[in-house]
Amino acid sequence: MASVVGLLEDRELAARVRVEGLQEEADRVLAELAQAETDWQEWLIARQRVDEVLSAPRRSETGVVGPVSVENSCVLKPEVAAEVPSVGTPATGAARAGSIVPVWRPALTVDVLAVDYQQILAALAERRTKEDGVMTCQEIAVVLGLELCPASVEGVRSKMKRLADRGWAAEPAPGRFTLADGPSCGS
């Protein structure tokens, strides 16, 4: 008959092996996620470059017979120009839907976020002025006028987690979110 300590050690070893295996798998998934995010960023930049090139006036449109000047070759569509901040200055234009949520810092305003993120932060700011400021994803979905179904709530939850991870919102309790201390939503 095996000793109790020996049985416990066997179970402990099995649990440790499982944890190490899951940790390796998590590391692999995180590395794959980082690569996917990098690829996504590169495609976003490529699309912006194509928009930039396509929005530049052609020689026939400008009446220029010779080479196109630098000023004319870099004309951006207004919606693209809003996404591309000047070097050394914070972005001032609104981002388009599906854009990346930057890490919050004092120089940023909510205008750098996509409209749906701005609406979420505005709802949190409004709740903060009226009550304790803490909302669940279901409450946020209702305020945004979304259908209260699992897909909508999970979409809001995903956005809230992203906002919390990047400092725009806080999660004082699991599944409950509030506006972080730093960001101001103009209210």
Side-chain angles (χ1 to χ4, degrees), residues 90-93 102 104-113 118 121 168 183-184:
T92 56
W104 182 84
R105 57 188 179 276
L108 291 180
T109 64
V110 295
D111 294 337
V112 300
L113 299 173
Q118 291 178 23
L121 291 178
W168 293 89
S184 170

Side-chain angles (χ1 to χ4, degrees), residues 20 26 30 34 43 60 66 75 85 87 97-98 117 125 127-128 130 138-139 149-150 152 179:
E20 289 172 354
L30 288 174
W43 284 112
S60 61
V75 176
V87 176
Y117 289 98
R127 174 64 72 92
R128 178 182 265 183
K130 295 180 179 176
Q138 290 87 355
E139 292 171 325
C149 66
S152 297
L179 190 64

Side-chain angles (χ1 to χ4, degrees), residues 1-65:
M1 180 171 174
S3 71
V4 173
V5 173
L7 291 173
L8 290 174
E9 287 174 349
D10 289 344
R11 298 257 174 121
E12 177 187 356
L13 177 63
R16 185 181 58 173
V17 167
R18 183 165 191 268
V19 166
E20 289 172 354
L22 289 173
Q23 184 63 46
E24 288 175 8
E25 185 177 340
D27 291 343
R28 182 191 56 76
V29 169
L30 288 174
E32 193 174 324
L33 174 63
Q35 180 60 43
E37 286 179 339
T38 300
D39 289 346
W40 178 32
Q41 284 296 323
E42 290 171 357
W43 284 112
L44 177 67
I45 291 168
R47 184 179 45 79
Q48 289 173 342
R49 295 293 184 224
V50 168
D51 285 349
E52 184 178 318
V53 169
L54 293 177
S55 68
R58 295 193 177 102
R59 292 180 195 183
S60 61
E61 293 173 3
T62 60
V64 176
V65 177

Side-chain angles (χ1 to χ4, degrees), residues 71-163:
E71 296 126 26
N72 289 338
S73 66
C74 295
V75 176
L76 296 177
K77 289 182 180 177
E79 64 271 12
V80 175
E83 286 185 36
V84 183
S86 302
V87 176
T89 60
T92 56
R96 292 199 297 201
S99 65
I100 295 181
V101 177
V103 174
W104 182 84
R105 57 188 179 276
L108 291 180
T109 64
V110 295
D111 294 337
V112 300
L113 299 173
V115 174
D116 45 350
Y117 289 98
Q118 291 178 23
Q119 292 171 341
I120 290 171
L121 291 178
L124 291 172
E126 184 177 332
R127 174 64 72 92
R128 178 182 265 183
T129 60
K130 295 180 179 176
E131 299 173 30
D132 63 349
V134 179
M135 295 179 79
T136 64
C137 295
Q138 290 87 355
E139 292 171 325
I140 295 170
V142 169
V143 169
L144 296 177
L146 301 174
E147 181 182 344
L148 202 55
C149 66
S152 297
V153 174
E154 286 305 311
V156 170
R157 184 180 324 283
S158 173
K159 288 178 176 74
M160 288 309 309
K161 290 288 189 179
R162 192 169 295 122
L163 287 168

